Amino acid sequence: MSYPGYPPSDGYPAFPGYPPTGQESVYPPAGQYTYPAVPGGYPPAGGGTYPAAPPSAGFPGAGYPAPGGYPGAPQAGGMPPYPGGAGFGVPPAGPGFGGYPQPPAQNYAGGGPAQIPGFPGGQAPSPMPGPPAAMVQGTQGTIRAAADFDAGRDAEILRKAMKGFGTDEQAIIDVVANRSNDQRQKIKAAFKTMYGKDLIKDLKSELSGNVEELILALFMPSTYYDAWSLRHAMKGAGTQESVLIEILCTRTNQEIREIVNCYKSEFGRDIEQDIRADTSGHFERLLISMCQGNRDENQTVDYQKAQEDAQRLYQAGEGRLGTDESCFNMVLATRSFPQLKATVEAYSRIANRDLLSSIDREFSGNVERGLKTIVQCALNRPAFFAERLYHSMKGAGTDDSTLIRIVVTRSEIDLVQIKQMFTQMYQKTLATMIASDTSGDYRRLLLAIVGQ
């Protein structure tokens, strides 16, 4: 696949501070965050009702839902103690998840309880469809394709903004922040057709610093931007492992395969060979697994398999002396995200400890961060990216490349949900934190993308 205007020789500049250094995402301490309140009560609006209560021998709190709603429904400010420590439909607030924010629980429907050893009373919900793909991948971006789009008109606006003495940055911002990535590619092609000039080169000559990096990222095709980010994370001395984890452990199968092909066609390199050259051990194996783009994407959750996988993970870690790392790699690299979520729930019942805590105890360094990222995405992908954004701006200085990369890559996927999780997790809006950490045209463009 070839991307016009992106020959490696022309190249994007080696942005100052890119790749980021020392800004590894730190998983929030257990219990730091509470279950987000659900607007309109529980279950979520339109989510239907809870099924009739299972037999008292099988699940604690038999008889719910109680008249008037689910007992102990979440209230603003946090989630109440989880009845009995195990059960039906609602993730534990404490053990089992380490306090990681959860999306609203999905209703269980259809079928009677299946007999599975290890579940309370030997019973568990029957296999059923898991959360819809939209919930797993995110459902809404802050940038949508503009209506009445005219690539030629936009190209003319950008030409006027850069022509003559000085640059009209606001005119550039108004165009690029309100067009989809596909529309930006059409603007780029129209610009060359109309003026015989390369839009990217013109933008690079007119802009500088972080606003240049941000605008050039917006004009890169999304697959190319991921491939470019991975190349620069491994290029030269040192490796930015956090970038490799962030991209390879969170993308869909199709996205991974397109990234791998683009990496080969645009940079003339094999991504697996570069990973092997820049990483080692169990971390290398995890990334190679991710590069295959072969994760199961069946959205149906098999609770029997979840129980078996949870037992397998326990026996590979907490239940033995030493750690069978390959077992963790196999389960976390192959199971669908809804299936992994069910496995995490089953694991907490078996081990009396959440899986993230066990990974903390059994692993260290980059492989620990990679495995945690997969689990966090299974539990709540927008919360993972919200956490990454927070740590890119927390404390002295700003990790601008991480901030730019996440805002750009999620702007058409799930940035709306990321903003919501950011507010719930940190009691401040993403826009507020961006405004306090950035300035000038860079701030204006970021805020235009994020939306108020």
Side-chain angles (χ1 to χ4, degrees):
M1 184 183 304
S2 177
Y3 294 96
Y6 291 94
S9 58
D10 177 38
Y12 278 80
F15 300 123
Y18 188 96
T21 55
Q23 291 289 335
E24 304 292 353
S25 176
V26 180
Y27 186 73
Q32 182 173 344
Y33 305 115
T34 56
Y35 190 94
V38 180
Y42 197 95
T49 58
Y50 281 86
S56 58
F59 286 84
Y64 63 80
Y70 181 80
Q75 304 296 321
M79 183 180 181
Y82 189 71
F88 209 74
V90 185
F97 295 91
Y100 200 70
Q102 299 298 303
Q106 301 297 291
N107 296 329
Y108 289 111
Q115 295 293 326
I116 301 178
F119 280 88
Q123 296 180 340
S126 299
M128 57 156 289
M135 177 184 170
V136 177
Q137 297 302 333
T139 56
Q140 190 178 354
T142 55
I143 291 182
R144 308 271 184 99
D148 301 321
F149 171 67
D150 185 332
R153 182 180 60 205
D154 285 346
E156 186 176 357
I157 292 171
L158 293 177
R159 172 66 175 151
K160 288 180 179 177
M162 295 184 285
K163 188 177 180 181
F165 182 75
T167 305
D168 185 351
E169 289 88 354
Q170 189 60 52
I172 297 174
I173 290 171
D174 290 341
V175 170
V176 300
N178 294 288
R179 305 292 184 272
S180 67
N181 189 278
D182 182 64
Q183 289 175 334
R184 293 185 209 112
Q185 305 315 310
K186 291 181 171 67
I187 294 169
K188 193 167 56 181
F191 193 93
K192 183 169 285 189
T193 299
M194 294 166 65
Y195 304 112
K197 300 184 69 178
D198 187 279
L199 175 59
I200 301 303
K201 290 182 178 178
D202 277 12
L203 287 169
K204 286 165 65 175
S205 68
E206 297 289 329
L207 305 169
S208 62
N210 291 321
V211 71
E212 175 190 359
E213 177 178 353
L214 178 53
I215 286 182
L216 296 185
L218 288 165
F219 272 103
M220 291 189 199
S222 55
T223 300
Y224 180 92
Y225 185 37
D226 275 345
W228 179 88
S229 298
L230 291 170
R231 176 69 191 122
H232 279 258
M234 294 184 281
K235 187 177 181 181
T239 304
Q240 300 305 313
E241 292 87 354
S242 62
V243 178
L244 306 183
I245 292 169
E246 179 196 303
I247 295 174
L248 294 176
C249 294
T250 66
R251 302 306 193 246
T252 65
N253 286 349
Q254 182 179 349
E255 288 168 342
I256 291 289
R257 291 166 186 164
E258 290 174 353
I259 290 166
V260 170
N261 290 335
C262 176
Y263 195 94
K264 180 73 171 178
S265 64
E266 294 301 314
F267 305 115
R269 304 179 67 88
D270 183 279
I271 194 169
E272 284 190 29
Q273 291 181 4
D274 281 357
I275 288 172
R276 293 184 194 283
D278 274 57
T279 63
S280 61
H282 298 293
F283 181 54
E284 172 196 324
R285 293 169 205 164
L286 178 64
L287 294 183
I288 295 298
S289 293
M290 295 296 100
C291 283
Q292 306 314 302
N294 284 329
R295 181 182 298 281
D296 180 16
E297 292 188 329
N298 184 352
Q299 298 298 298
T300 298
V301 176
D302 183 338
Y303 290 93
Q304 176 74 48
K305 180 186 283 187
Q307 178 71 13
E308 292 168 355
D309 282 346
Q311 187 68 45
R312 185 180 288 120
L313 291 173
Y314 179 73
Q315 294 299 332
E318 297 279 2
R320 58 173 286 171
L321 184 64
T323 307
D324 180 358
E325 294 87 358
S326 63
C327 178
F328 280 81
N329 194 102
M330 184 276 290
V331 172
L332 297 185
T334 62
R335 305 297 189 244
S336 71
F337 285 112
Q339 184 67 33
L340 284 177
K341 186 173 185 294
T343 300
V344 172
E345 294 170 354
Y347 185 91
S348 68
R349 289 187 286 267
I350 293 172
N352 199 28
R353 184 192 307 278
D354 64 86
L355 182 56
L356 287 163
S357 296
S358 291
I359 291 173
D360 255 336
R361 290 159 60 92
E362 300 292 325
F363 295 88
S364 62
N366 293 313
V367 68
E368 174 195 340
R369 285 187 281 273
L371 294 172
K372 278 185 174 183
T373 295
I374 296 170
V375 173
Q376 289 165 354
C377 284
L379 295 176
N380 190 333
R381 190 186 307 259
F384 166 76
F385 284 110
E387 180 191 326
R388 288 280 289 157
L389 285 170
Y390 176 77
H391 285 284
S392 75
M393 294 179 280
K394 181 185 177 185
T398 303
D399 178 359
D400 293 292
S401 288
T402 294
L403 174 59
I404 290 169
R405 188 175 57 254
I406 295 176
V407 166
V408 170
T409 58
R410 310 312 293 186
S411 62
E412 294 182 49
I413 301 175
D414 55 0
L415 192 51
V416 168
Q417 284 70 36
I418 291 169
K419 287 166 57 180
Q420 292 168 349
M421 289 309 309
F422 193 97
T423 302
Q424 291 171 3
M425 293 166 68
Y426 302 108
Q427 291 76 52
K428 66 175 73 174
T429 67
L430 176 58
T432 298
M433 197 161 184
I434 287 174
S436 66
D437 258 57
T438 60
S439 62
D441 295 322
Y442 177 46
R443 173 198 286 164
R444 282 193 287 275
L445 181 50
L446 279 172
L447 293 178
I449 298 167
V450 169
Q452 299 301 312

